[in-house]
């Protein structure tokens, strides 16, 4: 908008950040990553946390600015200390993988936690997923299956496909939770709905397991008909039809860990 660009040229930090977003996305103006980075820098230097976080992106990736991982970390840190949740997660990622800063999984977990422990409306879903992975692997924190499941569930409920996949795998393989094929299938379906190919593949592999573990009356219903593509293909269709009516909330997944 004309008024927004006018405000940006007059020195308004928020307007400069918004114009940078418009340039980055091509919203109302031609997409230009270099121009976007210029606007982000001007907003960042005025202390705008969104601009600081946004400036860290092109410095980390080298798209729109010369690549400078150390500079990216510096801007992410400034925004993170100002409470910007995406910057807190980005700083955690840099610390976990040693990008532009000495690798420090303990500090990475601390920043993931700060971003993930916000009220649900402000929580960073990616940070919750990363925190769950750290608990599952014992990276930067003592391995804790209950905490891993809790954070992965919170991220999966918010629509994070990778979190839903990992949660489905944990239930399917009994990793840190009681093995539960129905819950595994429900979460894998959540991930598969987003087009997650691995989730679809793992869901298909659950069919013979599900046939063995279903109640006898259900099992008989699944295998009583040998469809044109074989009993397993037919069973997959029946299993999907059944679980299509059952989401994670129907299986108690809105409860605590």
């Amino acid at each position: 908008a004309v008024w927004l660009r006018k405000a940006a040229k007059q020195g308004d930090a928020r307007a400069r950040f918004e114009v940078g977003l418009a340039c980055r996305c091509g919203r109302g103006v031609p997409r230009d990553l270099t121009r976007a980075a210029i606007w982000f820098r001007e907003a960042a230097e005025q202390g705008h946390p969104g601009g600081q976080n946004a400036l860290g992106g092109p410095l980390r990736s080298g798209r729109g600015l010369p690549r400078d991982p150390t500079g990216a970390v510096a801007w992410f840190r400034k925004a993170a200390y100002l409470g910007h949740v995406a910057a807190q997660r980005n700083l955690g990622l840099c610390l976990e993988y040693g990008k532009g800063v000495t690798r420090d999984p303990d500090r990475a977990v601390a920043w993931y936690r700060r971003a993930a422990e916000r009220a649900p409306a402000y929580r960073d879903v990616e940070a919750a997923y990363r925190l769950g992975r750290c608990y599952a692997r014992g990276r930067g924190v003592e391995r804790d299956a209950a905490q891993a499941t809790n954070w992965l569930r919170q991220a999966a409920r918010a629509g994070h496909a990778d979190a839903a996949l990992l949660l489905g795998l944990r239930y399917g393989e009994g990793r840190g939770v009681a093995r539960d094929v129905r819950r595994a299938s429900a979460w894998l379906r959540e991930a598969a709905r987003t087009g997650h190919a691995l989730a679809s593949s793992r869901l298909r592999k659950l069919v013979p397991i599900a046939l063995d573990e279903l109640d006898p009356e259900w099992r008989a219903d699944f295998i009583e008909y040998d469809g044109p593509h074989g009993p397993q293909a037919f069973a997959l269709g029946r299993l999907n039809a059944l679980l299509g009516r059952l989401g994670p909330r129907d299986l108690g997944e809105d409860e605590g860990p």
Side-chain angles (χ1 to χ4, degrees):
V2 174
W3 66 267
L4 190 63
R5 293 182 67 85
K6 183 176 180 180
K9 289 178 180 179
Q10 291 176 347
D12 185 277
R14 182 176 178 181
R16 288 175 166 179
F17 170 62
E18 294 292 342
V19 171
L21 289 179
C23 291
R24 186 175 70 182
C25 301
R27 189 175 64 235
V29 294
R31 187 168 185 263
D32 188 330
L33 298 182
T34 300
R35 292 286 302 168
I38 291 171
W39 285 113
F40 289 148
R41 185 179 294 280
E42 292 191 0
E45 289 175 346
Q46 289 180 264
H48 190 281
Q52 293 168 346
N53 179 64
L55 179 59
L59 288 172
R60 179 173 59 182
S61 67
R63 285 178 283 185
L65 285 174
R67 191 168 180 272
D68 180 3
T70 302
V73 170
W75 285 111
F76 288 147
R77 183 177 286 112
K78 286 178 183 291
Y81 277 112
L82 290 174
H84 194 283
V85 291
Q88 291 171 347
R89 175 246 300 157
N90 284 332
L91 182 56
L93 285 168
C94 293
L95 288 164
E96 182 179 0
Y97 295 102
K99 302 296 184 182
V101 66
T102 302
R103 186 175 177 273
D104 191 335
D106 291 5
R107 289 173 61 207
V109 166
W111 282 110
Y112 289 151
R113 191 184 307 282
R114 288 179 69 167
E117 287 185 341
R118 299 293 188 94
Y122 303 101
R123 176 180 300 141
D124 188 275
V125 175
E126 179 70 18
Y129 163 68
R130 296 285 173 177
L131 186 56
R133 278 175 36 127
C134 287
Y135 271 114
R137 298 177 176 184
R139 179 182 293 175
V141 70
E142 187 175 348
R143 185 172 293 181
D144 187 321
Q147 285 290 340
T149 301
N150 172 46
W151 287 110
L152 289 173
R153 184 187 288 118
Q154 290 194 42
R157 281 188 203 145
H160 196 291
D162 286 335
L165 170 66
L166 289 186
L167 200 54
L169 295 178
R170 290 176 75 79
Y171 276 118
E173 299 169 10
R175 280 190 280 153
V177 292
R179 192 162 176 274
D180 188 325
V181 172
R182 295 183 70 198
R183 279 187 167 85
S185 299
W187 282 116
L188 288 174
R189 283 181 62 85
E190 288 292 305
R193 285 191 185 103
T194 69
H196 205 304
L198 181 56
S200 300
S201 172
R202 291 303 183 99
L203 185 59
R204 285 194 295 273
K205 290 180 181 179
L206 277 178
V207 171
I209 300 171
L211 288 173
D212 288 338
E213 297 189 3
L214 285 174
D215 293 336
E217 58 193 77
W218 286 15
R219 184 164 60 247
D221 189 41
F222 275 112
I223 64 177
E224 66 182 4
Y225 170 73
D226 186 352
H229 303 293
Q232 181 162 313
F234 176 72
L236 175 61
R238 294 299 297 276
L239 182 62
N240 283 343
L242 169 67
L243 290 169
R245 299 192 297 272
L246 296 176
R249 292 184 184 278
D250 299 303
L251 296 174
E253 291 297 337
D254 55 343
E255 300 169 0

